[in-house]
Amino acid sequence: MKSADRFVSLSDCNDTPVFSLPLFGGLMVNKHGSRFMDEGTMAKHAMYCGEPLLREGVYYMVIDDGLIDELATTPIMDFISEDAFGNMAPGVQMGFMGKTLTALPEKVQQGIDEGWIWKADSAEALAEACGMENLADTLEAYNGYCATGVDEEMFKEAQFLRAVDTDSLYVVELDIAAWVTLGGIKTDGYCRAVDADANPIPGLFVAGVDGDFWAVPYFEGGSAQGFCVGSGYLAGVTAAQG
């Protein structure tokens, strides 16, 4: 929310290249500097990440000069794997095809100037700059996983294990973005809205994107059209049964 660019450009990812960073499966941390999910999920199944991102609210990418330089000079289609690209949403795929993030260095500097990207020359200095007490330890452990090719904490695929250790280091603050309700009205298994004690509220049914299908116990991808149809039917049947 601190950025002058507020929304991801689906027509041309080079318009908002910093916002594309989570889609490459790199190191992601919470406000304490600790990992909280398998970051490869963001690369291969981004639409299924509503639950963990919603719980964190604001999340952070940790990158280095090496990644910035490579993304600014390498076509995206040469940078990501075929299976990661194949699982991305069509809009994201179209935005990536034929693109190189040449604007990334400029946009990173913009983020530094606007106060949502921090830069330092060591893990300890970076942790102090952004106030993350666990960041230095997280970086040490993560780079160790990258060296062995085995993520012993989040079990991320080896293809996404890239060390964050070249020249300057950066922390990038990002806000969750989505097309539909995140953390909507809580319901039971019959689409009946429930109160604070999880008891059904008489006469109140919830279907479609206003439900809490991004949260427990539902995990849906895409625009969840199947859930919208199914929940509408279930709510109608339940209501008709009184």
Side-chain angles (χ1 to χ4, degrees):
M1 295 304 293
K2 301 172 185 175
S3 172
D5 300 316
R6 291 297 180 88
F7 301 100
V8 175
S9 172
L10 291 180
S11 60
D12 187 352
C13 61
N14 211 31
D15 289 341
T16 53
V18 177
F19 296 165
S20 295
L21 290 174
L23 297 175
F24 302 127
L27 177 58
M28 187 185 300
V29 299
N30 61 18
K31 63 182 179 181
H32 302 293
S34 300
R35 297 174 71 196
F36 59 93
M37 63 177 289
D38 168 4
E39 301 95 341
T41 307
M42 281 293 289
K44 297 181 70 172
H45 304 286
M47 291 297 293
Y48 290 85
C49 293
E51 170 77 7
L53 296 182
L54 176 64
R55 289 182 179 274
E56 295 300 332
V58 176
Y59 65 102
Y60 302 82
M61 295 300 304
V62 188
I63 62 174
D64 58 15
D65 275 336
L67 179 64
I68 294 173
D69 292 342
E70 186 169 354
L71 283 172
T73 58
T74 305
I76 295 177
M77 297 303 295
D78 293 341
F79 183 83
I80 59 178
S81 65
E82 290 186 8
D83 65 321
F85 179 77
N87 282 282
M88 290 178 176
V92 176
Q93 291 176 332
M94 289 186 290
F96 279 169
M97 293 182 67
K99 296 294 189 302
T100 301
L101 299 184
T102 55
L104 183 58
E106 172 189 345
K107 289 294 188 178
V108 167
Q109 184 58 52
Q110 175 184 318
I112 294 172
D113 295 339
E114 292 176 343
W116 53 279
I117 296 180
W118 295 266
K119 177 182 179 181
D121 293 330
S122 70
E124 291 74 18
L126 186 62
E128 183 176 355
C130 60
M132 294 182 177
E133 66 270 25
N134 300 329
L135 181 60
D137 290 340
T138 295
L139 270 170
E140 181 179 5
Y142 184 76
N143 287 334
Y145 302 148
C146 294
T148 63
V150 179
D151 181 357
E152 298 180 7
E153 183 178 4
M154 295 296 174
F155 310 102
K156 182 165 63 175
E157 291 181 31
Q159 66 167 310
F160 299 115
L161 289 173
R162 178 194 178 102
V164 184
D165 59 2
T166 64
D167 301 319
S168 296
L169 308 176
Y170 304 79
V171 163
V172 181
E173 183 177 282
L174 295 165
D175 292 279
I176 186 172
W179 292 302
V180 295
T181 304
L182 292 176
I185 301 170
K186 188 174 182 180
T187 67
D188 64 8
Y190 297 93
C191 294
R192 298 177 297 186
V194 297
D195 61 20
D197 296 319
N199 296 316
I201 299 173
L204 183 58
F205 299 86
V206 183
V209 296
D210 291 322
D212 64 343
F213 64 89
W214 277 108
V216 178
Y218 307 108
F219 295 92
E220 297 291 336
S223 56
Q225 293 177 359
F227 176 85
C228 290
V229 173
S231 61
Y233 174 81
L234 180 58
V237 169
T238 307
Q241 293 175 344

